[in-house]
Amino acid sequence: MAPSSLTDASTAVALRLLAVTLQRLPSKRRWLRGVDGWIDFSIALTTEDGGVAHTVRFEGGKVRVQRGVARDVDTKLIFRDPSVLRALLKLPPNEVLNLLMRGDLRSEGNLSYLSLFELLLSLALGWRYKGLLAQARVDARLGREQVAASGPTQQRAAPTRERLTAEGAAGVRWLGEAHLGRYSLDDFPRLREGLERHFTTQPELCAERPLLLTRWLRANGFEAGLDAGACSPVLRQARALAYLLREKQPIIGKGDLLAGTTTTREVGVVLYPDAHGTLIWGELLTLSDRPLNPYRVSEETIATLHGEVFPFWIHRNFREWVRERYAAPLCQQLDERFAVYFCWKTVALSHTIPDFPLLLRKGVGGILAEIEGELAQTPAEQEGKRETLSAMVEVLRGLTALGRRLAAEAQRSAEQESDPQRRGELSEMAEVCARVAEQAPRTLHEALQVMWTTWIALHMENTNAGLSLGRLDLWLQPFLDADMAKLGSAQEREAYLRRAIDLVGCFYLRCADHLPLVPDIGNHLFGGSSSDQAITLGGVGRDGQSAVSDMSYLLLKVTEMLKLRDPNVNARFSVEKNDAAFLRRLCEVNLVTCATPSIHGDENVMRAIGGLGLEPDDVRDWAATGCVEPTISGRHMGHTGSMMFSLVAPLEMALYDGRHPLLRAQVGPRTGSAAGGDFATFEEFYAAYCAQLSFLVDQATEYNHMLGEAHAVLRPTPLLSALIEGPRSSGRDVTVGGARYNTSGVACIGLADVVDSLQTIRTLVFTEKTASFDQLAQALAADFVGHEALHARILRKVPKYGSGDEAALDLARRVTALVHGLFAQKRSYRGGPYTTGFWSMSNHVAFGGLTGALPSGRRAAKAFTPGLTPSPMASPNLLDNLRDVAALDPANLDNNVAFNVKYVPSARDGHARSVDTMAAYAKTYFELGGLQMQLNVVSSAVLRDAMARPEDYRDLLVRISGYNAYFVTLSREMQVELVERAEYGAGLGG
Amino acid sequence: MTASPLVVEIKGHSLDDGPGIRSVVFLKGCPLHCSWCHNPEAARAQPELSFDAALCVRSLDCVASCVPEALDPGRAGAAFVDHERCTRCFDCVPRCPSGALSIVGRAMTPAEITDAIARYQPFFANSGGGATLSGGEPLLFMPFAGELLRRLRERGIHTLVETCGLWSLERYLELVEPHVDQLYFDLKLADPAAHALHCGVSNAPILENFRAVCQRARDGGPPVLARVPLVPGLTDTQDNLHAIAELLRRCGAPRVELMPYNPTYESKAQKIGAKARLASSRFMAPAEIERCRAVFVGIEVVG
């Protein structure tokens, strides 16, 4: 019997066993139904060669196994070979999507069903999975310890309490000593307790949002025209959201000064089944046992999600809408192979910053009145506009209702509170909430509360992925000024300052009360990422003058004390308008927190976005979204994280005649092969790279476009639309291009890997002719094993981007211009151009894991370099790196960059000199044209220690590529990448 | 001896050789022969073959090019190169794919060195840094060093010289001092006999020059920082440190830097076939360093 037919027979046996188990045991059979009745679907399992083929059919509570792949099957799983199929039955459910990611498994059809099938599999094999996951946790631990043992380890030193001080810093009116060195976390027991809860509470899945929405939609209809009484998408979403905001539990956290929570859990994972939520279906029973970032989930939540929520959304999510509408287009198939690009619109569209200045100026009621006025003037024949405006009105009324219910809850809690001090706080909160439910805020407390209430509501509407907070210092300073002006004595003012720190600290901790849903595959793709709610400080105001104020320093103080990964703090430093004291303080906070804030060269970022046709005042009002991406606050739907795009995939395809090695398929056009001797000159090869790149840009933007349509149909966002300039007057939702400015931003990944690869090809194959293209191709196929001399020559003798070599730098300029040029020609569904950024979240690790050896000398499966950071092999001299990165043309980097610098101060340098050195790097880099830099202040030895003893490092903050993460929450591959990153300082620089 | 020294290395980015962010030029050749020498590759003025066994991928492309048969594939590790047989023709170097074989000592003009460093000038300007001349002994070649310093100064770059102090004061004052912003002056052993034994020469002219440059500093010349390498059992003795402290007080030197012994230099010696003459393989304990610092009462100790 051939192995394949053996597997075919044994698979049939295994599937029949599964069928019998599920159907005969009542405790399991009840999982085959939801509130709407039996969940009917079919799934086929087959191998690429067709040697194995079976269909499992779930119908009316019965499970049948049929030979062959049924024609009408909902989802088809195609395994690379029988061994992978066998592995499926031995793997924990969290690993199945990882099989997809690695290209061992391909799926056709609805992914929700794959997820459901996984759940049923884990149900049938329950006891076995417990054991598998326990083993996986042990393996993960051993794996980490192995890396830790591969080099020296060092315990992290106790944090220095030494701080610089600054008297008379520019822009500071009320603080006195601007660093607020007179306070420490010990002065804020409320924040200390909140922080402790943040680090000790395991995140938990929360069913509140999906359940309330699903209930409303089930009762009132979803598809207009199909369901009786269903209304247009924008009105439907408004009414469902308004219902949610009215029904949502009003919760006041223990000791909190701000009322309201995003979820009903202490740290809640928010579910968006209208986006990617159903992907967690398969892990529901095993989530709490998975090795990396486990979630708690209650029996009740599991039952609700499985029975009531997920079945409703099987087809009603962005991904499946595109699959059905466009018959699984190639561009979607490529996305779902993970190795070439990843479109974020399957998850979210709302990488933007709402118009908080408007909210703070007018209050919810003021905005409501403005829209009602517009509605009154809109003639009946403009039906679409009237609908959208009405939707905004309904949802703003829902927001008002939420505010009132929070006020009532605060009042109720105050009445029950026995501690007089807390009773006073709760009464004050009740007044604050009551005031800002409709009216505009007058005080800092009121301003923070209305922002927070609105923030909750925005996250009930939009996925918690990258929605950002904007220029908090600039917008909150007037409230601090107004509060201070009312105080007579120095003593009162000092007491107020302490209170202000407490309030802002509560705001930060509240922002950290929710997490994005991360299926295990996400641990590898975006590991450790939070919701990335970016705050932006400093820079210049709309008038071009310095925007640094008391609030800038106050927010920095809170950032320094709390050391949270989220909110993601960014700072704009204007070389021309901000004073040196501000930069020093930014660097000091970075030194103390190890990883935050990320610092931007204000003039250069403004230069980068200057070509997008924005008003000059608006350009000056940019703030970071998600990771680093510039968005015009309150005026701009930038979907700045629309896709993660591998620049390396087209390089591999150019080497192999359009074939992608991991996907084992002809993907792109046939442009010749390196091994076949098809390229006579470097320029011929470069042309092949351009052709493959251009092909993938077409595909990725096409999918992004389709997903954009899906958003407009499935999830218009009337609340966000009410808070962005444009829709309030035009009556067009932001999902269809109603915003004042529209762009789509791309994150291009692997710049250094591509440039260094092209350098190798140009230098060794075409200029020096020390290796033929065929030899190089053979070395790549062998992962350089047996080709050590060639590998060494590549690593040591080919000048790289980041080394100061002019030719390499020119090539980097050429590639960035090429990529930018290709994307800039495209228009998104909402209109407006694409922008290109060079940051990578953690996709440089994920894409790298799916890529073979490269001409740059990078071995197979190793991480790419993060963002646009040069390779650690480029130069031992950090200054060469800084100069080269700063020399790229900002016009091609209009979605910003993430440039990682690891700096480890030597013990003998002392605190002040370390800060000065960091400030000198930053200032010079910005003067030379650099857009952004992020300093990781931790040594490889300490990181290894953290891998060995994660329990001692729960709060160790690291910057990945644009966002912060707690090191211990990262996948092992990402931890290794951080350990191996180039390290400067501590006498190791050259 | 050639009139122009060879460059061992230009270290573009250093935080350890003076204030701010600096570039350091290491020139080849030194009149002293200290038993603990930490830069053995800079001791001799002539070019040398360096072999870094850790980089070698054993392509063996080099072996056939070696006429005197100094490269023996049968020998592993550092012993691959027989430095006794090597005639320093360097024919093997371009054949080495990995850079394991390299030449220590490259001829560069003062103008070329200045250009290589000046690219970092914005970093110097923002950090209060600049260029540092080190070695070897950078003042072994006074006219060259003077011209290099002058060119750096012309580009607005702050200049610092690290020296062992063995040179002609007259020529120093004429050729070098006008172009120097700061002087780091090594004091190793106060006792003349011990100095002769461990450093190969008498320390009399060195101490005399030290007194002179201290006087110059008081008269408006470049400020001087005395630096003492702490070598266990040799320079870190109480006697020696007390004698040096006394010298500093007499010369009115306000500050001293102590440089604790660093045992990691041995591999450097091995690469060029030299022997590490002093074999202590451990870092100094903080308490030992503290004991040394305590000697310098009334003098600011940095580092």
Side-chain angles (χ1 to χ4, degrees), chain B residues 124-160:
Chain B
F124 307 151
N126 281 328
S127 66
T132 298
L133 258 55
S134 185
E137 171 47 53
L139 301 188
L140 195 56
F141 309 86
M142 290 266 190
F144 184 96
E147 189 194 341
L148 175 55
L149 292 165
R150 179 180 61 76
R151 283 176 179 272
L152 289 165
R153 269 279 200 75
E154 277 171 10
R155 304 280 274 265
I157 297 171
H158 175 274
T159 57
L160 188 154

Side-chain angles (χ1 to χ4, degrees), chain A residues 762-832:
Chain A
R762 181 165 68 180
T763 311
L764 297 188
V765 177
F766 294 109
T767 308
E768 293 178 3
K769 301 192 193 330
T770 38
S772 72
F773 220 156
D774 183 36
Q775 280 172 318
L776 180 60
Q778 284 176 29
L780 298 182
D783 197 16
F784 294 111
V785 173
H787 301 264
E788 284 74 18
L790 177 57
H791 194 218
R793 190 176 292 282
I794 289 171
L795 292 180
R796 305 276 163 191
K797 300 277 173 90
V798 176
K800 298 184 173 51
Y801 154 66
S803 68
D805 181 80
E806 275 302 317
L809 177 58
D810 276 344
L811 204 44
R813 288 197 183 105
R814 192 174 171 191
V815 172
T816 46
L818 170 72
V819 174
H820 181 262
L822 286 172
F823 273 107
Q825 295 166 8
K826 302 283 179 186
R827 290 292 173 276
S828 79
Y829 177 70
R830 294 169 288 111

Side-chain angles (χ1 to χ4, degrees), chain A residues 788-790 792-794 796-797 803-805 876-880 882-883 903 906 908-909 913 916-917 919-921 923-925 927-928 984-990, chain B residues 9-23 55 57 59 61 93-99 101 119-124 126-127 257-260 303:
Chain A
E788 284 74 18
L790 177 57
R793 190 176 292 282
I794 289 171
R796 305 276 163 191
K797 300 277 173 90
S803 68
D805 181 80
N877 178 350
L878 171 63
L879 309 186
D880 288 333
L882 291 165
R883 288 179 74 247
Y903 168 70
S906 126
R908 20 175 284 183
D909 281 350
R913 190 182 179 202
D916 286 343
T917 302
Y921 291 147
K923 181 153 187 266
T924 313
Y925 169 72
E927 285 172 356
L928 294 173
Y984 298 97
L988 293 173
Chain B
E9 184 194 2
I10 298 176
K11 186 173 170 183
H13 175 225
S14 171
L15 300 172
D16 299 323
D17 297 275
I21 296 169
R22 310 193 74 83
S23 289
L55 291 183
V57 294
S59 73
D61 295 346
V93 171
R95 288 164 206 273
C96 174
S98 66
L101 288 166
R119 56 164 65 191
Y120 307 122
Q121 162 70 351
F123 292 96
F124 307 151
N126 281 328
S127 66
E257 180 180 354
L258 301 183
M259 300 185 291

Side-chain angles (χ1 to χ4, degrees), chain A residues 833-856:
Chain A
Y834 280 80
T835 59
T836 44
F838 293 81
W839 44 274
S840 54
M841 299 194 68
S842 60
N843 271 69
H844 55 284
V845 182
F847 281 143
L850 306 175
T851 304
L854 293 177
S856 64

Side-chain angles (χ1 to χ4, degrees), chain A residues 46-77:
Chain A
T46 177
T47 47
E48 277 183 10
D49 65 0
V52 179
H54 297 284
T55 301
V56 190
R57 200 174 279 283
F58 298 82
E59 216 169 69
K62 298 228 162 47
V63 189
R64 282 177 296 143
V65 181
Q66 302 167 327
R67 284 196 72 80
V69 177
R71 264 170 182 274
D72 62 343
V73 74
D74 290 301
T75 302
K76 185 168 147 190
L77 304 181

Side-chain angles (χ1 to χ4, degrees), chain A residues 551-705:
Chain A
M551 277 312 283
S552 314
Y553 285 95
L554 197 148
L555 286 153
L556 282 170
K557 177 70 186 179
V558 173
T559 306
E560 179 184 67
M561 288 194 309
L562 298 184
K563 302 185 179 69
L564 291 167
R565 67 176 164 187
D566 205 21
N568 176 14
V569 182
N570 286 258
R572 297 167 47 173
F573 176 71
S574 164
V575 173
E576 289 165 24
K577 300 290 183 184
N578 297 147
D579 71 341
F582 184 56
L583 182 61
R584 266 167 67 93
R585 179 58 177 155
L586 296 176
C587 290
E588 182 180 41
V589 176
N590 191 164
L591 182 67
V592 173
T593 61
C594 293
T596 199
S598 122
I599 311 174
H600 302 257
D602 208 18
E603 285 83 5
N604 303 320
V605 175
M606 292 194 282
R607 210 165 286 143
I609 58 176
L612 293 172
L614 316 166
E615 296 294 331
D617 287 4
D618 289 340
V619 168
R620 288 191 284 266
D621 215 10
W622 77 272
T625 300
C627 291
V628 293
E629 313 95 86
T631 294
I632 309 310
S633 312
R635 290 173 168 74
H636 184 187
M637 277 299 273
H639 197 200
T640 55
S642 75
M643 65 179 78
M644 318 298 291
F645 185 93
S646 168
L647 298 176
V648 180
L651 183 84
E652 281 199 294
M653 286 156 60
L655 289 167
Y656 305 115
D657 197 19
R659 198 180 153 77
H660 190 285
L662 179 99
L663 304 187
R664 297 182 307 284
Q666 184 73 34
V667 172
R670 309 200 68 135
T671 50
S673 104
D678 292 333
F679 305 110
T681 63
F682 173 71
E683 289 306 319
E684 281 183 27
F685 179 74
Y686 192 80
Y689 178 66
C690 296
Q692 299 296 346
L693 178 68
S694 175
F695 170 79
L696 289 178
V697 169
D698 286 349
Q699 293 297 321
T701 51
E702 187 182 1
Y703 189 34
N704 186 48
H705 194 101

